[in-house]
Amino acid sequence: MDIRVQSARFDFGAEAGTFAAGHTDAGAVVTFTGIVRRDGGLARMEIEHYPGMTERALEKIAAEAMARFALADCMIVHRHGPMEPGEMIMMVATAARHRADAFAAAEFLMDYLKSRAPFWKKEYDADGAAWVAARDEDEQALGRWSGG
Amino acid sequence: MIDILYFAWVRERIGLPKERVETSAATVAELVEELKAREDRYAAAFADLSALRVAVDQELADFDAPLAGVREIAFFPPMTGG
């Protein structure tokens, strides 16, 4: 498990390549990356986080994914600080023997990251700034993993 | 003494990221009542608890969580990671 919380940009291709190359026992690697969208005249985004709790929350989410799915490994990189449209915000990667576990674990990680990891997005446009509101859909998405 | 941290719009509304307070509150909810009684900016920030989340010693918790032995409480809006 590789968990990183950082303000610096990351090289998605290099990260994915290194992760995949490090797991010769796994037949399947799935990656997801989130990018700052340029919609509604967004000029930039700023992500605040809770140092200490963020790392703990991500480690807990990753450990849960490892326990729930037949994973060889997983990784999470999540940035904080200022970002411009087109920049990568975060990535997850999962490695498993077969693709079903790798895909499902990546979705699980994303669902939990959205509403259980202490990050808050603030969007800036020509009119000013606004905190991004949590979406009900994101909270509801967690429901599909409960009781399993 | 207990450290209280505020994030996102809660931090902006209260006007500071962190403070240390002396409290006799037994639960998070009681601490919130003490803070609300202090000043309008606290009352405004804590007006709607359903819009807030709380972490006790860096773990998500409920507002009825006990404060005995707790070192750090954080208040923030629902998280928007990913």
Side-chain angles (χ1 to χ4, degrees), chain A residues 48-50 52-53 56 60 78 89-90 113-122 131-132 134, chain B residues 5-9 11-12 53 55 57-60 72-74 76-82:
Chain A
E48 182 168 328
H49 78 120
Y50 182 170
M53 179 174 168
R56 286 171 63 156
K60 191 172 161 189
H78 204 303
I89 304 170
M90 51 76 59
L113 267 169
K114 282 259 166 204
S115 41
R116 292 291 182 275
F119 291 101
W120 301 275
K121 295 191 180 106
K122 193 175 191 180
W131 291 99
V132 173
Chain B
L5 283 72
Y6 307 107
F7 292 97
W9 62 254
R11 169 179 56 72
E12 291 178 341
R53 300 290 178 268
D57 283 336
Q58 302 191 353
E59 294 276 356
L60 286 172
E72 185 173 298
I73 300 280
F76 42 77
M79 295 154 274
T80 52

Side-chain angles (χ1 to χ4, degrees), chain A residues 67-113:
Chain A
R68 186 182 275 254
F69 305 96
L71 288 188
D73 198 7
C74 66
M75 75 177 286
I76 303 172
V77 180
H78 204 303
R79 295 177 59 204
H80 56 84
M83 275 161 244
E84 289 175 5
E87 279 190 53
M88 291 179 185
I89 304 170
M90 51 76 59
M91 69 170 283
V92 301
T94 57
R97 221 175 146 69
H98 302 290
R99 72 176 186 278
D101 281 300
F103 273 118
E107 291 229 63
F108 175 89
L109 288 174
M110 287 311 304
D111 282 349
Y112 275 82
L113 267 169

